[in-house]
Amino acid sequence: MLLALAFTVSRCIPFTEEDLSSEDRLWALYERWRSHHTVSRDLDEKRRRFNVFKHNIKFIHEFNKKDEPYKLKLNAFADLTNQEFLDHYAGSKIEHHRIRRGEKPEGEFKHGHIDIYKLPASVDWRTQGAVTPVKDQGKCIAAVEGINQIVTKELISLSEQELVDCDTTDWGCNGGLMDHAFEFITDFDNETALQQAVANQPVSVAIDASGLAFQLYSEGVFIGPCGTSLNHGVAVVGYGATQDGTKYWIVKNSWGTSWGEQGYIRMKREIPNNRGQCGIAMSPSYPIKASLIPSDESKDEL
Ligand SMILES: *[C@@H]1O[C@H](CO)[C@@H](O)[C@H](O)[C@H]1NC(C)=O
């Protein structure tokens, strides 16, 4: 907890009630925030951005006063409206991907036989060296990097140029260059199956990332609000429970390290709705390692 607080404070601009007490102080806070996150805005735009910032900071302030299992912060996205944010950082391509996905043969879910009561109580692939640093990447890549490390013990950081990403090709996870190296298992659809899979490897999922609370998430276990209109690809790299027993998924995002818990979000696990929190269990997929990713130049030939 102390550690979590320490990085939160160092990675974002803390503010007090006093900072919100006048227009001048808010403006000074906005300038401090801009310089911390090196956000430049031209003069015309600045006034409008400042108004959005004011709205967001009040939202954060009011939210953090409440007794919620998670907190919000002034991250790098604090002067964007939620709509602007979604337009830039989430998309509607997931639907496309899901529709097209069905046209190709899918592998069979291979973890169904694993006794759910024998699964480890917590899994964190980051501690196994199977997860690369948070970067701007699509959801399939983290899952491919994960299984590649688990099988070869070599962690190779992939880029969109090296592997065609889920959200950017017609064939989604099944498509492009990935076809040659990986088969993606899809269509297991509830949180139990997701846990069985994540116990074995990082898993690509899609979520509904809508809402200002998600945009400004800082730390803790996210419990919504969010819907199940999938619009953003992420990867589940583990699961666990807090000391008070709240179960969560460890989710790797691609919005930089100023967002969330150094780029990660913990999302509530085992909710009554079998779609999972924000639809996390609706569209999972994981790669099966069919051939190795070479670590040298021959990667180009994959
Ligand atoms: C969960 O999904 C798995 C894999 O698709 C399926 O075998 C299982 O019956 C489902 N469990 C429930 C409770 O729906």
Side-chain angles (χ1 to χ4, degrees):
M1 189 60 197
L2 267 179
L3 249 179
L5 276 176
F7 80 64
T8 302
V9 169
S10 69
R11 293 211 130 272
C12 73
I13 295 279
F15 63 90
T16 62
E17 193 99 28
E18 216 180 307
D19 289 313
L20 313 184
S21 63
S22 74
E23 198 76 357
D24 285 353
R25 282 176 198 237
L26 278 164
W27 187 266
L29 180 63
Y30 182 53
E31 292 294 2
R32 258 194 291 144
W33 172 86
R34 281 201 321 113
S35 101
H36 181 85
H37 290 288
T38 54
V39 177
S40 59
R41 302 285 184 214
D42 63 44
L43 260 173
D44 284 351
E45 208 194 356
K46 219 164 157 187
R47 176 54 56 180
R48 200 175 76 77
R49 289 275 146 233
F50 173 60
N51 285 330
V52 175
F53 181 81
K54 272 198 302 193
H55 171 270
N56 287 350
I57 197 167
K58 281 170 189 162
F59 181 81
I60 294 169
H61 188 61
E62 291 307 314
F63 185 94
N64 286 350
K65 278 197 242 171
K66 294 192 279 186
D67 186 26
E68 295 280 349
Y70 70 99
K71 296 285 176 212
L72 307 182
K73 68 178 171 186
L74 278 181
N75 59 22
F77 310 117
D79 77 347
L80 300 177
T81 67
N82 190 233
Q83 192 53 55
E84 289 166 336
F85 179 72
L86 292 173
D87 289 347
H88 267 87
Y89 296 97
S92 55
K93 288 167 188 157
I94 305 291
E95 283 309 318
H96 179 58
H97 152 63
R98 292 177 70 224
I99 292 160
R100 296 298 296 266
R101 191 177 70 185
E103 298 173 21
K104 277 208 144 189
E106 283 151 13
E108 216 173 292
F109 184 55
K110 62 173 176 173
H111 305 302
H113 63 282
I114 300 170
D115 184 345
I116 190 81
Y117 297 104
K118 291 195 177 130
L119 289 177
S122 65
V123 168
D124 187 346
W125 286 108
R126 294 174 298 183
T127 65
Q128 307 300 308
V131 183
T132 60
V134 168
K135 60 188 170 188
D136 194 14
Q137 64 171 185
K139 63 169 185 166
C140 291
I141 290 177
V144 171
E145 288 168 341
I147 194 61
N148 194 63
Q149 191 278 340
I150 292 164
V151 174
T152 65
K153 299 282 170 275
E154 205 178 343
L155 185 62
I156 298 171
S157 186
L158 300 168
S159 70
E160 309 243 349
Q161 284 73 48
E162 287 158 334
L163 280 179
V164 177
D165 174 58
C166 275
D167 299 347
T168 56
T169 71
D170 280 351
W171 290 109
C173 284
N174 295 320
L177 294 171
M178 278 194 186
D179 234 351
H180 303 296
F182 296 97
E183 185 187 352
F184 273 80
I185 303 300
T186 60
D187 280 351
F188 51 102
D189 59 2
N190 57 54
E191 288 195 282
T192 304
L194 186 55
Q195 189 186 353
Q196 289 169 320
V198 173
N200 277 272
Q201 63 191 95
V203 173
S204 307
V205 296
I207 55 171
D208 181 344
S210 311
L212 199 49
F214 199 92
Q215 175 181 336
L216 301 170
Y217 165 78
S218 170
E219 60 177 317
V221 178
F222 187 79
I223 56 161
C226 54
T228 55
S229 304
L230 307 179
N231 58 10
H232 184 51
V234 290
V236 181
V237 299
Y239 61 83
T242 62
Q243 279 185 344
D244 71 6
T246 306
K247 292 177 174 174
Y248 58 80
W249 298 109
I250 304 169
V251 175
K252 187 186 188 190
N253 203 349
S254 54
W255 293 339
T257 50
S258 99
W259 185 85
E261 298 179 336
Q262 290 189 306
Y264 288 81
I265 181 171
R266 283 179 292 158
M267 293 176 64
K268 186 140 167 68
R269 179 165 64 92
E270 290 182 16
I271 68 164
N273 186 333
N274 67 5
R275 296 174 158 195
Q277 186 72 59
C278 310
I280 196 169
M282 286 169 71
S283 184
S285 65
Y286 61 87
I288 302 185
K289 197 148 176 59
S291 66
L292 306 185
I293 294 186
S295 56
D296 53 29
E297 316 74 51
S298 59
K299 195 153 52 178
D300 297 342
E301 289 156 29
L302 243 184

